[in-house]
Amino acid sequence: MQTPLKGKVLVLLASAYEGVGLEDLEKPFKLTADYTNMPFKSLLVPNAGVSGEIRKLSGLREKLLPWADQSLRARGM
């Protein structure tokens, strides 16, 4: 299949107030990545609270920085 997405990495960053529904949200992104032969990475953050509270979650920054760096390297950046 020809697509301008070939060679790109599909990335999903998603948070939710509660720990419900993130896996269901992720499914169509995974399917799209599989269908287009794109690498897929996701970071799902359940129980993130309301706007701005995600910054207060312990360990999230430490988890996100290496993950983001790895994704950027995969893109050649």
Side-chain angles (χ1 to χ4, degrees):
M1 180 175 90
Q2 295 286 43
T3 174
L5 300 175
K6 187 173 184 168
K8 305 278 195 274
V9 178
L10 182 59
V11 176
L12 171 64
L13 300 172
S15 63
Y17 180 79
E18 296 178 329
V20 178
L22 288 174
E23 290 80 18
D24 292 331
L25 173 72
E26 184 183 49
K27 285 178 186 176
F29 290 90
K30 276 184 169 179
L31 288 170
T32 299
D34 288 343
Y35 183 73
T36 57
N37 290 320
M38 296 172 64
F40 176 71
K41 295 192 66 71
S42 66
L43 179 63
L44 306 177
V45 184
N47 305 309
V50 295
S51 181
E53 288 183 359
I54 194 169
R55 287 179 269 155
K56 299 175 188 173
L57 293 177
S58 64
L60 183 59
R61 184 179 303 260
E62 291 77 16
K63 185 176 181 180
L64 178 60
L65 292 178
W67 182 88
D69 185 50
Q70 183 183 33
S71 294
L72 290 173
R73 273 187 271 130
R75 291 183 55 202
M77 300 177 97

